Amino acid sequence: MASREMTGSEIVLKALVDQGVDTVFGYPGGAVLPIYDAIFAQNELRHVLVRQEGGAVHMAEGYARSTGKVGVVLVTSGPGATNAVTGLTDALMDSVPVVCLTGQVPTHLIGNDAFQEADTTGITRPCTKHNYLVKEMEQLPRVMHEAFHVARSGRPGPVVVDLPKDILMGKGAYSGPENFVHRSYQPGTKADAGAIAEAVELMANAKRPLFYVGGGVINSGPEASKRLTRLVRLTGYPATVTLMGLGAFPASDPQCLGMLGMHGMYEANLAMHGCDVMINVGARFDDRVTGRLADFSPGSKKIHIDIDPSSVNKNVPVDVPLIGDAGEVLGQLLRAWKAREPRPDNAALETWWRRIEAWRSRDCLKFAASETSIKPQQAIKRLYERTRDRDVYITTEVGQHQMWAAQYFKFEEPNRWMTSGGLGTMGYGLPAAIGVQVAHPESLVIDIAGEASFLMNIQELSTAVQYQLPVKAFVINNQWMGMVRQWQELLHGGRYSESYTAALPDFVKLAEACQWTGLRATHPDELDDAIDAMIATDGPVIADIVVEKEENCFPMIPSGAAHNEMLLGPDEKAEAPVSEEGMVLV
Amino acid sequence: MSDTERHTISVLVDNEAGVLARVIGLFSGRGYNIESLTVAEVDAANALSRITVVTTGTPMIIEQIKAQLDRLVPVHKVVDLTNDGPYVERELALVKVKASGNRRVESLRIADIFRARAIDSTGESFVFEISGSTEKLDAFIGLMEPLGLVDVSRTGVAAIARGMEGL
Ligand SMILES: Cc1ncc(C[n+]2csc(CCOP(=O)(O)OP(=O)(O)O)c2C)c(N)n1
Ligand SMILES: [Mg+2]
């Protein structure tokens, strides 16, 4: 019910608290000074002062993806808001629930090119799930609560609330979340019963089935992963996991074929190519996964669970769409599967598993270790082996190291793996790790970084120090923008145009200058010690792992190729040169 | 593309700032076609507007367009009139023709056939008001061209389902 008069800023903070927010990642400026004044006067909300607004959004993403809660950002108008755009786009592509509060010039100045005015709602319209400009005091409580409802329900995503300074300074009545029901946005969560029956029928009669598991399972919450694991084990069918889905199904389970896609596992991609029934749970047929669309899993009937109807039949025609929340729909499928008491075609399934085992025996992640230099694969493999029994969270930057991390680090649980998948944002990993560490102060949080990406949000080193966050940066330092170099080698005749970073900082000295601990390993013999020392150090650490410079990431499906045209290693040549069509793909 | 279809889609939206930009941005951002788009408030008490959009695309694209529209937060309802049974659509145009002598008489004669009304005239010009299907308007404007067509203003398509059901 309406209560006493409060300032707009107080209403904003009260709404955050009532929405269960405990932490805000932000940076002050003229337009949001009233909110900062209100923050000064309270102690329910913790404010984490970032070093650049772009970092704030990635921190909120890391916080959100490791907790399942909405991440919250507070930035000023104009440059504060425009700096947040990359993070917002990242959160949109990867379906991360974020509410970003932006300051705005007072309503009477909007449109006048006032100091630090930007058309924030205009700029962020295509990179948010929804956005609001609050022009009237009475709207403020409703908009604040709606923003959280929109960010977290259905397919989650970023929401911007643009707050003119006169609204923040004005007075109005507050009203709690219980008083608002959104009048149009109420996405359904349960799939159609008829479609469930159809899906179970297809699954029961499958001869070469495959689960294709995506980030939607993780977004749905930990219960969805449990149900998925139950269903996969009940059926005995194999499962492959996308980059965003890592951890949704335990990597150590014998039924897990690992990641699929461009740098996915040989057995996963060939199983995708050869399956006759595909059960897509919360994945979106991304082009990194499908390869050449015309030859993507050509012989399969496709079941697709997705909460977003626009993901269904977007790239790949689907036979049985199940529109709803992954966890709910998996519950429906489990019940229907048990009720049907299916008698699977064991002979066919055995043959299918035998084929999969044959692909598996190719051991596509094997690599030749070196006695003189650290192989990046080795570095990540050892990092995994020496941290696997710990309470560990991993973030990454973007590039080869990211793909190696996805291949060699094994995840048994959801919410442990944070990477920029859809947008591929270099500079994501360090701030994301800080956000994760804020939410899990006692856990081991490691950013598996490339040296080029790491520099993109390097200013956040000092944020970690200010809040005593012991994040670890495990820098796979190959001195190259390795992934760019790899594409130039494979697609551009080895013309390495601008992909070498000639004047890298000394990361150990950089660490020290920023009050981090700096470590370095350059020889394979030093690797384990460096990893152990990194873990044992109380505060934040940069471990500069100087690796083999020109290692390429395999397996790889060359652009424009199909799953069965995978390259397993450096000695394999593609069957055909990359087509012109393939060359134009990103 | 050979299997391209033309669809008329009605979208019921909250009449709030930016809603039209959201819809138009969706079409431009994802590369969909807009043949015509009209919008006006239709329910002031509930602050609801109705957008009628005529678009073309393959059946898969048309499905995408509807799904993408439907997931916009201020969208209440998306109806594909082309798919959902009989409907009527009308467009209105104001057509200015500058002509004298025989051509002036001819323009009036054609206007009469098309049930267009002259709503402004000078000694040398008319403004005709005509409504009907897009094709009818195209035909009328085509016939006016050689007679001295000066200017055309069209509203775009408004459409509604036949029968007694509402949106
Ligand atoms: C912001 C941004 N700019 C450019 C790119 C294109 N890009 C993808 S990977 C990459 C190189 C990354 O180098 P590094 O961080 O050292 O990782 P490595 O591939 O060497 O492991 C670049 C430039 C990107 N993904 N993001
Ligand atoms: Mg590098």
Side-chain angles (χ1 to χ4, degrees), chain B residues 92-152:
Chain B
L92 184 140
L94 302 176
V95 180
K96 187 177 287 183
V97 180
K98 179 169 178 283
S100 51
N102 276 347
R103 294 197 300 162
R104 182 173 166 87
V105 178
E106 180 65 2
S107 71
L108 267 181
R109 207 180 62 80
I110 293 171
D112 194 42
I113 295 169
F114 277 79
R115 295 180 212 280
R117 293 195 301 143
I119 56 172
D120 177 71
S121 66
T122 68
E124 274 184 278
S125 73
F126 290 115
V127 172
F128 294 112
E129 174 198 311
I130 178 171
S131 72
S133 69
T134 298
E135 294 73 34
K136 174 180 166 186
L137 268 55
D138 289 345
F140 180 72
I141 292 163
L143 288 170
M144 287 299 158
E145 191 114 33
L147 300 178
L149 184 72
V150 173
D151 218 356
V152 180

Side-chain angles (χ1 to χ4, degrees), chain A residues 262-279:
Chain A
M262 183 173 270
H263 292 289
M265 307 289 285
Y266 186 65
E267 53 269 38
N269 283 333
L270 286 190
M272 200 59 154
H273 194 77
C275 66
D276 73 337
V277 173
M278 178 198 301
I279 309 128

Side-chain angles (χ1 to χ4, degrees), chain A residues 463-541:
Chain A
T463 308
V465 174
Q466 179 171 344
Y467 297 96
Q468 295 170 20
L469 302 167
V471 297
K472 318 296 182 202
F474 191 71
V475 181
I476 302 293
N477 185 351
N478 54 10
Q479 297 179 41
W480 286 90
M481 297 171 198
M483 192 56 95
V484 173
R485 198 200 52 74
Q486 176 167 348
W487 279 53
Q488 288 173 331
E489 179 184 329
L490 297 177
L491 299 173
H492 295 275
R495 292 179 294 280
Y496 300 119
S497 178
E498 305 295 329
S499 50
Y500 185 75
T501 312
L504 281 173
D506 177 329
F507 284 107
V508 173
K509 286 190 182 150
L510 178 69
E512 283 157 8
C514 295
Q515 302 163 59
W516 283 45
T517 302
L519 297 171
R520 178 170 295 128
T522 52
H523 191 274
D525 291 345
E526 299 166 353
L527 179 61
D528 282 3
D529 288 346
I531 293 170
D532 293 346
M534 176 184 89
I535 300 168
T537 305
D538 279 339
V541 180

Side-chain angles (χ1 to χ4, degrees), chain A residues 12-25:
Chain A
V12 168
L13 295 193
K14 177 87 174 98
L16 293 181
V17 170
D18 285 353
Q19 287 292 340
V21 176
D22 53 24
T23 308
V24 176
F25 301 93

Side-chain angles (χ1 to χ4, degrees), chain B residues 50 81 84-89 159-167:
Chain B
R50 181 170 176 143
L81 292 170
D84 286 11
Y87 71 102
V88 283
E89 61 177 50
I160 204 160
R162 289 184 185 274
M164 53 192 183
E165 296 298 321
L167 189 59

